[in-house]
Amino acid sequence: MTQQGVRWSADQVLALAPDAASRKAGSKLGAAGPWSEAGSSDEGTVWGLCKGSGSKPYQTVVDIADAAGPAYKCSCPSRKFPCKHALGLLLLWAADDAAVPPGQAPDWARQWIAGRRKRTEEKRAGDAPGAPSGSADPEAARRRAERRAERVSAGAAELEQRLADLLRGGLATAEQSGYGLWEETAARMVDAQAQGLAGRVRELGAIPSTGPGWPVRLLEECALLHLLGQGWLRRERLPDGLAATVRARMGLPASADGPPLRDRWLVLAQYDTTDPRLTTRRIWLHGADSRRTVLLLSYGAAGRAPEPALPVGLVLDAEVSAYPGAGQLRVALGEQFAPPSPAAIRPPGLTTSRAAARYGDALRDDPWLESVPVTLDRVVPAPDGDSWQLADADEDAALPLTPAARSRPGLWRLVALSGGAPVKVFGECGHQGFTPLTAWPEGPGDAVALC
């Protein structure tokens, strides 16, 4: 299949699963038994009929050549994307050439692919330079921005007063007041259209229940909130880059206006976080030529997976454009010149001490930064009392794992991959420690997703 190059690995297919249940169910369908009339094309289409509980088999088709990641269509009633049938078909395609031979797509698959690609071309034409702008009245847009800035300033001033009241009354009052006080304050920040402040305020309410030392952690977070509020109220005095960072942290929208950068972007990690209203997808990319690490952020309504979906280990030949802000790593995906395909590329690594120093350097540009993306070279996962750490194989230094990382199944995949030997690990390094997201064995071998 020349369009998509080397077939994917099973791990890359299973990384697309929306949850553990879909991963398990899809794995059961990755054998030839339930499938009939399966086939594939050089244009990057895979299709097949999967026997289900009814009299008619489910029609399943996957467009692997979509530059934003695979797209799926199945006649089953599942609302998950991809469903277990799409996962099973991709697993069959990845493992067995004979089970999914080259051929001509049936009409039902061809019609869906043609319609999808037509819509993709129309969207690209609409996004092209010179296409009509979404705002027909720039002056009206400017007035709306000014009104929002005024509301945000009012919200920041109100938060300053509430923080002052907290410190005046003593931090112990935060434990007595419970979560309701902070939820009310967060709602006020939402009313002020300062969603960035609202998110950080909500986190304050949970700190008193985090165990010994919570007053120190609460004071630290209050100080960062105070710094952010003062940064907004005095934004005209800040350097342009830091002012853009403050606007982003406050939750104001911005456009990716950096110059396009074309590269072969290796997918380092992809993971989702959810709350009752929103699913956020983070995809870390590493430029093989530029050696830059950048972040794609996308969002989906609760219960729906965001797009794109890019499994770890694929390489995307594409342009990206940076968002404004000092030290900003977020980018927007631009023109894509080829579908994602596997490649034997690995990012360069650092020692654990250099990784900690990199986080410290990044805080100068963005004091509210939780973590930075880092690849560690030649580290060994090792227990550290009741915790775990990644120890340098060649020097006397280590990074502790974050509490979240210690509770994930990915930790045991990392330990099994290492077996006591050094491995290369990509993850996020911050004030709570290191969160491993992807690992590679020291010798030949594919990337192993840990999240």
Side-chain angles (χ1 to χ4, degrees):
M1 300 182 64
T2 58
Q3 180 69 19
Q4 62 269 24
V6 181
R7 289 176 185 250
W8 296 4
S9 67
D11 278 346
Q12 288 168 335
V13 172
L14 291 174
L16 299 168
D19 51 41
S22 298
R23 192 177 298 115
K24 182 178 180 180
S27 297
K28 293 180 179 179
L29 295 175
W35 293 96
S36 61
E37 300 182 27
S40 60
S41 73
D42 289 341
E43 289 74 33
T45 307
V46 182
W47 61 86
L49 301 177
C50 186
K51 181 175 176 54
S53 56
S55 57
K56 296 182 62 176
Y58 296 122
Q59 298 175 338
T60 307
V61 56
V62 182
D63 182 7
I64 302 167
D66 192 298
Y72 322 94
K73 174 69 174 178
C74 185
S75 60
C76 76
S78 174
R79 292 189 175 185
K80 296 181 180 181
F81 295 95
C83 67
K84 64 181 181 181
H85 306 101
L87 289 170
L89 179 61
L90 285 177
L91 287 170
L92 184 67
W93 164 76
D96 191 348
D97 289 354
V100 190
Q104 184 174 357
D107 289 343
W108 54 268
R110 191 163 54 248
Q111 290 171 4
W112 178 76
I113 289 292
R116 177 175 177 81
R117 292 183 179 171
K118 180 181 178 182
R119 290 191 296 272
T120 299
E121 290 302 320
E122 291 173 349
K123 184 178 184 302
R124 287 177 180 170
D127 293 341
S133 171
S135 177
D137 188 348
E139 179 61 23
R142 184 189 64 79
R143 290 195 298 269
R144 286 194 298 271
E146 288 181 350
R147 288 195 296 270
R148 177 170 185 177
E150 291 173 359
R151 287 193 289 268
V152 171
S153 295
E158 179 179 344
L159 180 60
E160 286 288 289
Q161 184 60 53
R162 297 211 176 193
L163 292 175
D165 292 342
L166 171 65
L167 296 179
R168 189 178 300 111
L171 295 180
T173 60
E175 188 176 29
Q176 298 164 3
S177 301
Y179 190 78
L181 171 65
W182 298 111
E183 185 60 38
E184 177 192 349
T185 304
R188 295 284 296 162
M189 297 304 103
V190 171
D191 292 341
Q193 294 188 290
Q195 280 83 357
L197 284 181
R200 299 187 77 95
V201 166
R202 287 192 183 95
E203 294 174 1
L204 293 182
I207 292 178
S209 63
T210 57
W214 71 261
V216 174
R217 293 191 289 275
L218 180 61
L219 185 60
E220 290 172 347
E221 289 302 316
C222 287
L224 287 172
L225 263 176
H226 169 69
L227 182 65
L228 182 56
Q230 289 297 313
W232 171 261
L233 295 172
R234 291 168 170 79
R235 60 192 180 280
E236 293 84 1
R237 308 180 195 176
L238 300 179
D240 291 344
L242 184 55
T245 297
V246 168
R247 286 193 292 271
R249 290 296 179 186
M250 295 292 284
L252 271 69
S255 299
D257 56 5
L261 173 62
R262 181 176 178 179
D263 208 331
R264 294 173 298 138
W265 298 101
L266 171 66
V267 182
L268 292 174
Q270 173 183 294
Y271 67 95
D272 295 347
T273 55
T274 60
D275 62 34
R277 293 159 296 187
L278 195 69
T279 298
T280 302
R281 172 163 292 169
R282 290 171 172 84
I283 301 177
W284 287 108
L285 305 174
H286 174 76
D289 301 320
S290 65
R291 298 209 164 191
R292 286 185 56 184
T293 300
V294 298
L295 175 65
L296 287 178
L297 273 180
S298 56
Y299 303 94
R304 293 191 63 86
E307 292 184 347
L310 298 172
V312 171
L314 297 187
V315 170
L316 183 63
D317 182 4
E319 292 180 340
V320 300
S321 298
Y323 281 81
Q328 176 67 263
L329 298 178
R330 185 186 175 189
V331 298
L333 188 61
E335 185 175 356
Q336 298 143 68
F337 303 96
S341 60
I345 298 175
R346 296 186 181 186
L350 301 175
T351 63
T352 56
S353 56
R354 281 297 307 141
R358 175 171 290 184
Y359 176 58
D361 292 342
L363 288 175
R364 289 199 302 262
D365 291 329
D366 185 351
W368 307 277
L369 191 64
E370 294 287 338
S371 61
V372 293
V374 171
T375 301
L376 300 176
D377 216 4
R378 290 182 52 77
V379 291
V380 180
D384 179 25
D386 294 333
S387 183
W388 282 81
Q389 63 182 3
L390 292 178
D392 263 298
D394 303 315
E395 62 178 51
D396 187 19
L399 280 175
L401 296 190
T402 60
R406 298 197 299 267
S407 64
R408 293 175 180 171
L411 170 61
W412 304 112
R413 297 191 75 185
L414 176 60
V415 172
L417 178 70
S418 166
V423 290
K424 182 188 287 280
V425 182
F426 170 77
E428 297 169 348
C429 181
H431 64 281
Q432 291 189 327
F434 189 87
T435 301
L437 301 174
T438 306
W440 297 261
E442 189 160 51
D446 294 329
V448 176
L450 306 174
C451 53

